[in-house]
Amino acid sequence: MIHLSDGDRVRLSTGHEVTLPLVTEATVAGAVLPARYDVAESLLPDGLTPVRVTARQAAVVLLCVEYHRIGDDAMAPYDEFAVLIGATADEWQPPLVPLLTRDIGGYVWSLPVTTEPARALGDEIWGYPKTVADISHHDDATRRETTVVEDGDRVATVSIDWPRTGEHREQIESYAVREGRLERTPVEFQGKLGAAPLSSRIDVDPGDHERADTLRALNLGSRSVLRFSLEGRIAYGAGRSVER
């Protein structure tokens, strides 16, 4: 396994080169939704536990992302649709506590992107399970609607209303398995961040793709725990092994 650190310059199999931490510019619409705990738990690797929003519900995060710039224009802009399972590597905590204390990470369960260099970027550096798909974002003054089609089948259409925004900085962690090792990656958001708790202004319509069956099995609630957005920078650091 190649161990990566912040400050490293990495050459991908596609020939593109990036430096860690990788700083990107993006527009994001996202939501944290309640989901069936048992299904969410079955999607996690050993070493992670779902974050609970209630005694019987886990947290699933949906991200509809349009990247405008990757590093120092290291590759062409691309779009992505992320499905993350809210998770922690720590001991059990009561429902909502990790969300309130921001002691939460997201295990990247599914991450379609629109280009092969983008797929290689996530897979080779962080172990993200990226696949190449057709992703379209339709934005207006009130919301973003994102449709994902992969292998000719629609995965999902997700609509999220924009919340009010202000200048903020937040940091979370993402989890993924890279070359058989569970790693955590610091992810920092900075720019015009918006958040609205307990919102029904979101719609998730699973399609016919096989991953849509899992989205249906998760039984995602129609009322989000949190609806959020970003217009600004996302910085991805080097992954670090999670001690088990």
Side-chain angles (χ1 to χ4, degrees):
M1 166 180 278
I2 298 176
H3 296 277
L4 300 175
S5 302
D6 286 341
D8 285 352
R9 188 160 181 82
V10 184
R11 185 178 179 85
L12 304 175
S13 61
T14 57
H16 298 80
E17 294 187 357
V18 297
T19 301
L20 299 178
L22 178 65
V23 179
T24 68
E25 297 176 9
T27 304
V28 183
V32 181
L33 293 165
R36 280 186 53 175
Y37 185 91
D38 58 337
V39 178
E41 185 178 39
S42 72
L43 301 177
L44 293 178
D46 292 341
L48 293 178
T49 302
V51 169
R52 296 178 186 267
V53 295
T54 69
R56 296 184 179 181
Q57 290 179 304
V60 169
V61 183
L62 304 181
L63 297 172
C64 305
V65 187
E66 179 182 7
Y67 286 102
H68 310 297
R69 188 177 186 186
I70 298 89
D72 188 15
D73 291 320
M75 62 182 63
Y78 63 90
D79 299 325
E80 74 178 21
F81 173 68
V83 181
L84 297 86
I85 310 300
T88 177
D90 300 327
E91 295 181 355
W92 180 88
Q93 297 186 45
L96 288 180
V97 168
L99 290 172
L100 295 174
T101 62
R102 294 181 171 82
D103 181 24
I104 182 175
Y107 172 72
V108 184
W109 171 70
S110 174
L111 194 58
V113 293
T114 50
T115 70
E116 175 57 25
R119 187 209 62 77
L121 173 70
D123 175 39
E124 295 172 18
I125 295 181
W126 295 285
Y128 293 153
K130 288 190 173 184
T131 54
V132 177
D134 294 321
I135 301 172
S136 60
H137 302 302
H138 298 285
D139 297 350
D140 60 28
T142 60
R143 67 169 29 199
R144 162 168 286 180
E145 181 181 277
T146 298
T147 298
V148 184
V149 176
E150 189 170 338
D151 302 323
D153 294 324
R154 187 172 63 88
V155 177
T157 300
V158 177
S159 299
I160 302 172
D161 280 17
W162 304 111
R164 292 183 178 179
T165 63
E167 290 290 331
H168 294 285
R169 175 184 295 178
E170 293 286 349
Q171 181 169 307
I172 64 168
E173 292 181 329
S174 72
Y175 294 102
V177 176
R178 185 171 77 93
E179 298 182 19
R181 182 178 73 169
L182 180 63
E183 293 188 344
R184 69 172 89 210
T185 297
V187 183
E188 183 180 88
F189 302 87
Q190 183 177 358
K192 293 182 179 179
L193 278 162
L198 303 178
S199 173
S200 60
R201 295 166 67 178
I202 175 173
D203 182 68
V204 181
D205 178 24
D208 302 319
H209 193 275
E210 61 182 1
R211 282 201 302 279
D213 294 337
T214 303
L215 292 176
R216 272 186 285 270
L218 283 165
N219 193 25
L220 301 174
S222 59
R223 186 172 177 82
S224 64
V225 178
L226 184 70
R227 176 170 50 90
F228 57 91
S229 68
L230 168 71
E231 181 73 38
R233 299 171 58 188
I234 309 176
Y236 296 87
R240 295 287 182 270
S241 178
V242 175
E243 300 297 331
R244 306 193 190 189

